[in-house]
Amino acid sequence: MTDLGWCSYFQSQCDDAVGLTPYRLTEIHRSQMNALGAVGEVTLTSPKLAAGELAVGDWVLADPEMRIQQVLERKSLLQRRAAGTDAQTQLIAANVDTLFIVTSCNDDFNIARIERFLALAHEAGCYPVLVLTKADLCDDPRQYESEAQALDSMLTILTVNARDPDAAEAVAAWCKPPQTAAFIGSSGVGKTTLTNGLTGGDAATGGVREDDAKGRHVTTARSMHPMQNGGWIIDMPGMRALRLLDTREGIDSVFDDLAELETQCRFSDCAHETEPGCAVRAAIEAGELDLERLQRWRKLRAGEAKNTETLAESWARERKFSKMVKGVTKGAGKRKGR
């Protein structure tokens, strides 16, 4: 159990769990879940919880009939707002110690997306490591390294060729047993290739389109695998769009300089536009702050606030907008009739 990541944090939640056995989820399907426990691999069902309420990496308690009765409190949780307009939360992975943010030294490299993933990691409580792949296909990977390092001088960056055996060794060094790591990034950047190198597996991998460096989705579901060094890795489908949810503190951790400047503004609700006494605008005018960085920060905050809306708030906002559109259309019709 210790090899699976079991520790006193989870044990302390089981004092009253008479007749229940702990397992760790490795794959989640609609009606069944694959899990590992002291007895090895088992198949669980979840009559009390929907599949969407569970995440790969979760520790659960099951009864003798292999039915999940309880999800143990997580040490960390990666989540995002699901696609659509119904304000649903999508769980990505649980109890992750290290989050490997994977991007390529090509057109996939995107500072704004890296900042989103960093905010996700900070909010969840994971240690972020940026992995720059396809270094062997790039004329000068150092330009990508320096641009990413400018985000945070303390950010750990690994520049690798995912197909080189040394790459897996460099990555594994940041996830000691029995810790758990996860790969996150776009399709085609080498996440599954790295997973194969770490686990000794042979999962299918795909290439990328040369015109825009976008990859094909080969990994279709999240799954947790044992690494050869004794740790665990969660491989996930490619993810270009990340709708941040409940990550205000994570965003401010990534933009800590801006968050600190904001506290020096004259007004607590300063929008950093035309307000007098704005410390953020003063830093821009003094050349101490990059305007594009400010714009990315504001965009992330605005998007996160919208995504974090409750279902009722979302419906209310949409109804208000719908009434406004109908009012404008009706008014235009009357004017046209005249």
Side-chain angles (χ1 to χ4, degrees):
M1 292 289 286
T2 302
D3 293 340
L4 285 171
W6 184 259
C7 61
S8 58
Y9 178 84
F10 301 111
Q11 182 62 52
S12 63
Q13 302 177 51
C14 300
D15 294 339
D16 300 324
V18 179
L20 300 180
T21 304
Y23 298 95
R24 194 169 190 197
L25 301 184
T26 57
E27 286 188 69
I28 297 176
H29 309 284
R30 289 188 177 181
S31 59
Q32 295 182 329
M33 292 79 193
N34 296 346
L36 289 171
V39 297
E41 188 171 3
V42 299
T43 300
L44 305 176
T45 60
S46 181
K48 292 186 175 182
L49 299 168
E53 298 177 77
L54 300 167
V56 170
D58 263 333
W59 279 101
V60 300
L61 299 179
D63 61 24
E65 284 71 40
M66 296 299 174
R67 297 173 302 192
I68 297 174
Q69 298 296 326
Q70 180 183 343
V71 180
L72 298 184
E73 184 178 339
R74 296 140 174 153
K75 293 179 67 177
S76 65
L77 176 64
L78 298 166
Q79 60 181 345
R80 65 173 177 175
R81 178 165 172 172
T85 60
D86 55 354
Q88 295 297 309
T89 300
Q90 181 184 34
L91 305 187
I92 301 173
N95 300 311
V96 172
D97 299 290
T98 303
L99 183 63
F100 291 111
I101 301 167
V102 188
T103 187
S104 304
C105 295
N106 54 24
D107 288 344
D108 180 76
F109 184 89
N110 183 291
I111 284 294
R113 191 186 317 129
I114 293 172
E115 288 171 335
R116 285 178 179 270
F117 287 138
L118 287 172
L120 178 71
H122 285 301
E123 188 70 33
C126 307
Y127 182 79
V129 175
L130 180 63
V131 182
L132 300 177
T133 60
K134 305 186 188 298
D136 55 312
L137 304 178
C138 173
D139 292 335
D140 185 12
R142 289 175 297 180
Q143 62 178 336
Y144 295 96
E145 292 176 2
S146 59
E147 191 172 350
Q149 200 72 73
L151 296 176
D152 181 355
S153 61
M154 300 300 292
L155 176 63
T156 299
I157 301 176
L158 306 177
T159 306
V160 302
N161 167 11
R163 299 184 183 279
D164 190 326
D166 291 340
E169 184 177 344
V171 170
W174 291 94
C175 183
K176 301 293 185 181
Q179 292 181 330
T180 300
F183 284 128
I184 195 168
S186 306
S187 298
V189 296
K191 300 188 303 298
T192 301
T193 300
L194 287 169
T195 298
N196 287 340
L198 290 167
T199 64
D202 57 357
T205 60
V208 298
R209 300 197 299 257
E210 294 184 3
D211 57 342
D212 58 7
K214 291 184 179 180
R216 299 189 301 272
H217 288 278
V218 177
T219 301
T220 58
R222 300 171 184 85
S223 53
M224 191 176 82
H225 309 275
M227 296 197 297
Q228 296 180 100
N229 75 333
W232 296 88
I233 187 70
I234 298 177
D235 190 19
M236 297 188 282
M239 185 187 302
R240 294 185 71 86
L242 175 63
R243 303 173 74 185
L244 293 177
L245 178 77
D246 287 329
T247 53
R248 176 62 180 264
E249 291 185 8
I251 292 173
D252 286 351
S253 293
V254 176
F255 295 87
D256 56 352
D257 55 336
L258 282 161
E260 174 61 27
L261 276 173
E262 186 177 46
T263 65
Q264 302 172 26
C265 291
R266 182 183 302 177
F267 303 108
S268 60
D269 59 348
C270 183
H272 319 305
E273 294 178 341
T274 60
E275 296 87 345
C278 175
V280 174
R281 295 301 307 179
I284 292 288
E285 294 168 3
E288 300 170 353
L289 183 64
D290 180 33
L291 179 58
E292 290 186 2
R293 179 170 168 79
L294 170 62
Q295 293 171 340
R296 294 198 305 269
W297 178 56
R298 293 175 65 181
K299 182 178 180 180
L300 267 186
R301 272 193 166 184
E304 188 272 343
K306 180 179 177 181
N307 292 334
T308 306
E309 283 182 328
T310 64
L311 183 59
E313 290 171 335
S314 178
W315 283 347
R317 179 174 52 81
E318 291 176 7
R319 283 197 300 269
K320 183 177 181 181
F321 178 75
S322 179
K323 287 181 179 179
M324 181 187 72
V325 172
K326 288 180 180 179
V328 171
T329 304
K330 185 177 180 180
K334 288 182 178 179
R335 289 193 296 273
K336 186 176 182 181
R338 291 178 184 177

